[in-house]
Amino acid sequence: ATLNAALSDSHSEKDYQQVYNAIANQIREYDEYDGAIGFGPALVRLAWHLSGTFVGPVGCPHISGGSFGGTIRLPKEASDPANNALENARWVLEPVKKQFSWISYGDLYTLAGVTAVQEMGGPKIGWRAGRKDLGVEYASTGKLPDASRDADYIRSLFVKRMGFTERETVALIGAHALGSCHVQAPVLPGATKSQGVGSGYTGRWTAAPNFFTNEFYRLLLEDKWTPKKWDGPFQYENKDELMMLPTDMALVQDASMKKLVVEYAKDQEKFFKDFAPAFKKLLELGIDFKGNKTYEFKTLDEQDL
Ligand code: CCH
């Protein structure tokens, strides 16, 4: 099991703060996107889908996938049905890539996830540079989770295949406070119609989908969730037309995961404290960063921008 060796980091923390700011400004600029949710949630999902293809050394001699090669930019990986609607997230980052052409796609897309979490009021996420764009022979498909499944399936992917603890797994899925599910991909700024399909699920998980909070856990526990009556895939809804996926409901149907949901529903600070290192670990799966430093970026607000 050889880890991808990071390139030595030839830029400074200041350089990456400039990239952070450019990404954050794109989020600000296009705040009307997707029913005024903006691009923040889509950027978190992009970073996760680039990274969450990882297959660890557990029970398998080789590692594959992960964020290192930036391979979600390539048609083979981009067209995995699990990545439906993510071309919009890549679209909003393309001007940033043009401005900072020295940054790799893997670094750009993971930094965009960090930027989005922080700009939406989430915890600071430590981030390291050094990923290198790889070709299509490194693209991964069929590795992202199927939302129709149960708790054992989530464990088999996150714990067994990617090497997360159960606590890290439940913390990561709390990102479903953000964004929404789409039958059709949201219409891009300046376009008149959708360019493609989404996951097929529909609706927002929370009433404030561009604020990073522990609302996902609170709603999961406290609301009444019933099967949605519609022609689409099986999902849950509450009286306010918010939604849960089968895999989300699995977190309260499983006794040991439910304990963690209860803990995070009560204590947002604890959720933030656990989410930040888990998200950093996700973005770094399969990579040996050598001596490259961990950076922590300021939000636009903290810079009075
Ligand atoms: Fe997720 N997610 N996710 N998710 N996800 C979807 C959307 C978002 C699953 C399924 C879906 C994580 C784990 C899981 C986000 C972050 C994370 C959608 C709707 C499905 C389906 C896509 C659409 O239609 O546009 C499943 C299954 C799992 C695990 O079992 C993890 C982990 C993270 C991040 C840490 C975010 C954010 C979104 C909203 C995207 C948007 O465009 O609004």
Side-chain angles (χ1 to χ4, degrees):
T2 39
L3 297 175
N4 288 304
L7 303 177
S8 72
D9 180 6
S10 57
H11 288 82
S12 68
E13 182 158 13
K14 251 184 159 168
D15 295 326
Y16 294 108
Q17 180 74 60
Q18 291 309 309
V19 182
Y20 176 108
N21 290 359
I23 297 165
N25 278 320
Q26 287 292 88
I27 298 173
R28 265 196 189 163
E29 166 82 17
Y30 297 112
D31 61 345
E32 290 302 314
Y33 174 72
D34 195 10
I37 294 176
F39 276 94
L43 294 180
V44 174
R45 180 168 171 249
L46 178 67
W48 135 241
H49 277 209
L50 172 63
S51 310
T53 55
F54 182 68
V55 178
V58 196
C60 156
H62 298 292
I63 62 159
S64 66
S67 68
F68 185 81
T71 45
I72 203 168
R73 78 187 190 284
L74 302 167
K76 180 177 172 190
E77 191 166 321
S79 64
D80 184 333
N83 289 329
N84 282 352
L86 277 176
E87 55 282 355
N88 289 4
R90 297 201 314 280
W91 174 90
V92 84
L93 294 175
E94 219 32 50
V96 181
K97 173 68 181 170
K98 292 239 154 59
Q99 192 184 346
F100 303 93
S101 56
W102 46 267
I103 200 169
S104 67
Y105 277 100
D107 280 350
L108 177 65
Y109 291 170
T110 53
L111 181 51
V114 168
T115 304
V117 168
Q118 294 192 177
E119 293 297 310
M120 291 188 286
K124 290 288 172 96
I125 316 278
W127 180 86
R128 289 189 279 190
R131 296 167 190 78
K132 181 185 171 215
D133 290 344
L134 298 175
V136 68
E137 62 277 24
Y138 294 93
S140 294
T141 55
K143 293 290 186 289
L144 292 160
D146 170 354
S148 72
R149 305 289 297 274
D150 64 5
D152 283 337
Y153 169 84
I154 295 176
R155 262 189 217 98
S156 72
L157 255 72
F158 282 81
V159 179
K160 195 151 180 292
R161 201 195 81 199
M162 292 195 268
F164 290 107
T165 63
E166 201 167 289
R167 177 175 285 277
E168 288 168 333
T169 303
V170 174
L172 284 170
I173 298 173
H176 281 173
L178 303 170
S180 76
C181 295
H182 306 91
V183 175
Q184 292 293 320
V187 178
L188 279 176
T192 51
K193 62 177 188 7
S194 171
Q195 304 287 314
V197 293
S199 63
Y201 295 96
T202 192
R204 303 169 175 200
W205 286 271
T206 68
N210 49 16
F211 288 94
F212 195 92
T213 65
N214 66 340
E215 268 294 279
F216 169 77
Y217 305 107
R218 197 190 62 76
L219 285 163
L220 199 50
L221 278 179
E222 294 177 11
D223 265 47
K224 187 168 181 284
W225 297 98
T226 53
K228 182 178 173 70
K229 293 192 186 69
W230 73 321
D231 290 340
F234 183 85
Q235 64 171 72
Y236 296 88
E237 67 181 354
N238 72 356
K239 63 176 186 337
D240 303 319
E241 287 181 31
L242 298 175
M243 70 92 59
M244 289 288 166
L245 298 165
T247 44
D248 298 322
M249 286 302 284
L251 305 182
V252 286
Q253 290 160 348
D254 179 272
S256 71
M257 288 187 175
K258 186 175 176 182
K259 277 192 196 145
L260 297 161
V261 173
V262 170
E263 185 179 332
Y264 294 146
K266 275 194 213 141
D267 189 348
Q268 175 161 288
E269 222 170 287
K270 181 60 182 155
F271 166 49
F272 277 26
K273 237 181 133 219
D274 287 354
F275 180 85
F279 195 59
K280 178 175 193 281
K281 177 170 167 179
L282 172 67
L283 271 35
E284 300 192 341
L285 289 173
I287 307 172
D288 173 5
F289 277 91
K290 311 275 186 186
N292 293 353
K293 286 202 205 82
T294 295
Y295 302 131
E296 198 181 281
F297 300 106
K298 293 194 167 70
T299 62
L300 291 184
D301 280 351
E302 285 168 340
Q303 300 166 79
D304 291 322
L305 292 173

